[in-house]
Structures are given as structure tokens and as C-alpha cells.
Amino acid sequence: MKHSIVLVLLLLAACADISPQSRLLHADQLAEKADWHKLRIATDQFILSAYVPNSIAKTDTLTVYIEGDGLAWLNRS
């Protein structure tokens, strides 16, 4: 029983760092591992981050990943 409680606490602690900075760092690391590069797109109200492959092959399929709406509860902006 004690071991399962410790395991649950460790898993919860691993999920505790949800800061925007840590999420951006993690995204940058994933992109680097996949040989993608970061684009920063300025808008009137904020800066969008996008990642694209360093080499692009012609294909009939476009895959788009949208991230970021999971932290809307942190603050209004």
C-alpha cells in the first residue's frame, strides 16, 4: 500500500510543472529532436509559435497540430 501511494505522489509531482515557459521549452525540444525549426508569427495581440520541418516533401496530405487551448483556465489573457 505504501508503495502505491508513493508512486501516485511521484506521478502527480511529474505533472505539476505546467508553466507556459516549461511547455514552450518542451515544444522546442520536441521540434529539435524531429529536425523542425521554430517560426514566430507576430499578431497585434500576441506572438504565435509554429514549427515546420527543415526539409519539406511534396505530399497530398497536410497535417496540422494545434496546441495551447488546454491552459485557457490559467488567466484571461
Side-chain angles (χ1 to χ4, degrees), residues 53-71:
N54 286 325
S55 61
I56 299 174
K58 185 176 179 179
T59 181
D60 292 334
T61 303
L62 173 65
T63 303
V64 177
Y65 300 95
I66 300 174
E67 193 280 333
D69 57 345
L71 286 180

Side-chain angles (χ1 to χ4, degrees), residues 6-72:
V6 170
L7 179 60
V8 169
L9 291 175
L10 287 173
L11 290 172
L12 289 174
C15 299
D17 189 9
I18 57 170
S19 71
Q21 294 81 6
S22 67
R23 291 170 57 102
L24 286 173
L25 178 61
H26 187 236
D28 290 344
Q29 291 169 344
L30 289 173
E32 185 177 335
K33 286 181 185 177
D35 196 30
W36 288 29
H37 65 274
K38 184 176 189 173
L39 298 176
R40 297 182 56 82
I41 304 166
T43 71
D44 290 340
Q45 298 179 355
F46 49 84
I47 298 174
L48 292 171
S49 294
Y51 299 90
V52 296
N54 286 325
S55 61
I56 299 174
K58 185 176 179 179
T59 181
D60 292 334
T61 303
L62 173 65
T63 303
V64 177
Y65 300 95
I66 300 174
E67 193 280 333
D69 57 345
L71 286 180

